[in-house]
Amino acid sequence: MANFFEQIFKEKKLAYAIFDHDLILSERSRNFAQTIQSSSIDPRSPIWDIFPELIGSEDQVYEVLYNRQKKYELEKINKYSESGKLHYYQLTLLNLKDTSYVPKLLCVVADTTAETSLEQAIRQQKYEIELLQASLSSYGQYSSNSILGESKRIQEVREIVGKIARIRNTTVLLQGESGTGKNLIARAIHQTSMLPKTPFVEINCASIPSTLLESEIFGYEKGAFTNALMSKKGLLEEADGGTLFLDEIGELSLSLQAKFLTFLETKTFRRLGSTHEKSVNIRVIAATNKDLKEAVGNNEFRQDLFFRIDVVTLKLPPLRELENDVIIIANHFIHLFAYDFRKKVKGLTNNAKSKLLNYSWPGNVRELRNVIERAVIFAEGDKIDANDIILTEEKGIDEPSHRFTLPDNGLSLFEIEKNLLLDALAKANGNQSRAARLLGLTLDTFRYRIKKYHLNL
Amino acid sequence: MDKQIKISKKICMLGTFGVGKTSLVRRFVYDKFDEKYLSTIGVQISQKQLPPMKNSSAGRTERLNLILWDLAQIEKFNNVIKNYFRGSQGAIIVFDVTRLKTFKETDVLLKSYLEMNPKSKLVFVGNKTDLVKSSELDLEQFLRLSESYQTSYFLTSAKTGKNVGQLFTHIGKLLLEAD
């Protein structure tokens, strides 16, 4: 009779095990271990070792054991076989009544691999499509989001990035002081204009000696020079189908400028030591903190290359011109560093905000990032205070270049102060907050002085 | 000598499809990562024992065995799901930092989970950080969530393993402290 049941269980892809009132294994079908994908089962194992999925459901298990609950079921339990194949089973717990009146627990395991695998395949297809759609629609979203700020200047930058992104093959020139985020903008342009997973290859022309830069950009063939033991792809080939970002292009040597110009015009090049021409499809984004027009005038930069890369030029504003964006960007860095350092810093006190707004930020966003990193480390409370903010230029305030020497015949402090206020307003196009910052004053102090000198604006 | 106690705790991995729940568990338990996406159906249960931890309030060293319930995307809350959630003492709620939508989709699920397990410890996780630069991460959502649920959040990459060990150790500590 037992064999008969075993046969039926096997055919129906079922297996069973019986646990005594202490929930220790007492009996099982021959196919039990195989059905739950277990290589070996200790004959006196507690139920929790065989079915760790029941940990946390102890109450339900005992309710069934003592017949206070009819059954307890867990569906679609995943188990990998030793060969790595995924199996699914359903576990049902039932109270087992027998003549001894000692409660026992019957565990029935049903192998549901066939039907669940089908469901898995359907869902897999559905989710893969949704994931692909999501990745296509959100691609670039993070990059444009990464241009932080609400000022007019930043909105203009975002707008131009959007326009540039629509035209894939135009060369773009990014100009701006060091630390204004040229690299970030280059990535934003790349991500908003290219398909996912297309390469973004960057090189800082100032960081590699001119002699090596040529082979880095154009690649070389085996034997092209003494140490060329094997052929190597250059960055142009690495960037094929995507973007090549040349940072500090103003540092390229004149001979390399000529070679690069040829590439830009023909989209073809030769590896060093090769006679074979290669062509690639890439967008070039160049960046510089130099005035390239001036470099052309000084014969440091080829005029023809300048005209070739000056098709679409995006001038990145320095941080000091971004008004309240300083606070927005600072808050972003606070969140980042608070997370990294596991600190509960959430924002800035009003004094700290005022200190940040009244600083000229010669190192731009890079400097702001460093200042905030340090401030988060040293902040005691949940807000960064002015004392936590150490600004680089504070140290240099007594340097000779900042000193004003009184002329021998004296001067009128009244007139100088008045003129400085007017100058600052003119430079800030009438924007009082910006003018106050140019003079290192708070807005209130600035307004007080305007009133003091009866400057009717 | 200090007595060591072995304790098992059930933790549910929650989140919408494709956020990397299975990958996080796989990285933590087996130190492996698979580029190919395989959607989970039902539940996959894995276990891993954490190194011994001192429970100062209980005055003993404890070895915590984490029973990780990696749950499939839950499309309908029913008795099957109730049984999955039952007895869970911790939940790791996973989002994909490249898909903002995944934040919104978890809200209802989390409420249902907390109705069944109101004392459960929670940790929020932004996974797939290898796909975005840190400066591009939008942390506002995590800050809001962790503040409203008074818990912490982690930014992880199952692919590189970044913060994965720290995440599970952290929830383990929370569970021991709660005992």
Side-chain angles (χ1 to χ4, degrees), chain A residues 48-49 52-57 60 72-80 86 88 116 119-121 123-128 130-131 134-135 138 141-143 145-146 148 183-184 187-188 191 332-333 335-340 342 346 369, chain B residues 8-10 17-18 36-45 47 65 67 69 72-75 80 83-84 86-89 96-101 103 128 131-140 143 147 152-156 162-163:
Chain A
W48 320 109
D49 286 357
E53 47 269 47
L54 293 174
I55 293 173
S57 305
Q60 279 63 42
Y72 181 66
E73 266 182 347
L74 281 175
E75 285 183 12
K76 294 172 192 165
I77 299 167
N78 297 209
K79 271 277 161 83
Y80 280 93
L86 183 58
Y88 300 93
T116 315
E119 188 189 337
Q120 197 279 333
R123 273 216 208 174
Q124 173 86 19
Q125 203 173 28
K126 181 185 159 201
Y127 290 166
E128 272 181 6
E130 284 187 39
L131 282 173
S135 85
S138 72
Q141 175 188 325
Y142 275 85
S143 288
N145 280 352
S146 66
L148 293 173
N183 185 301
L184 183 135
R187 280 177 188 276
Q191 295 208 354
H332 174 73
F333 287 137
H335 297 157
L336 273 181
F337 291 119
Y339 172 77
D340 276 354
R342 292 274 148 198
K346 289 174 192 161
R369 185 188 166 99
Chain B
S8 290
K9 300 275 183 189
K10 172 177 173 178
F17 70 90
K36 194 178 177 295
Y37 169 62
L38 183 74
S39 68
T40 305
I41 295 285
V43 58
Q44 191 166 320
I45 294 144
Q47 299 185 58
N65 185 39
I67 315 278
W69 281 57
Q73 147 107 350
I74 291 160
E75 300 195 332
V80 174
N83 283 345
Y84 287 163
R86 202 179 295 281
S88 172
Q89 286 138 308
D96 175 347
V97 293
T98 69
R99 281 190 294 151
L100 294 176
K101 211 176 136 192
F103 283 85
K128 304 192 188 180
L131 296 179
V132 282
K133 286 182 78 181
S134 65
S135 58
E136 292 171 5
L137 282 169
D138 182 0
L139 299 180
E140 287 289 333
L143 285 171
E147 269 180 17
S152 45
Y153 71 93
F154 280 77
L155 298 172
T156 60
K162 189 184 170 190
N163 284 340

Side-chain angles (χ1 to χ4, degrees), chain A residues 75 82 88 106 133 152 160 175 248 252 273 279 329 368 373 414 430 439 455:
Chain A
E75 285 183 12
E82 280 186 345
Y88 300 93
L106 172 66
Q133 282 170 343
K152 206 176 159 215
I160 296 169
Q175 282 192 312
E248 300 202 40
L252 276 185
S279 74
I329 301 168
L368 175 62
E373 182 174 0
F414 182 96
L439 295 171
L455 299 172

Side-chain angles (χ1 to χ4, degrees), chain A residues 317-348:
Chain A
L319 188 57
R320 63 183 168 277
E321 290 177 14
L322 298 185
E323 302 161 4
N324 204 46
D325 286 353
V326 175
I327 305 302
I328 295 172
I329 301 168
N331 274 326
H332 174 73
F333 287 137
I334 290 171
H335 297 157
L336 273 181
F337 291 119
Y339 172 77
D340 276 354
F341 305 139
R342 292 274 148 198
K343 297 213 40 170
K344 296 205 165 166
V345 185
K346 289 174 192 161
L348 298 151

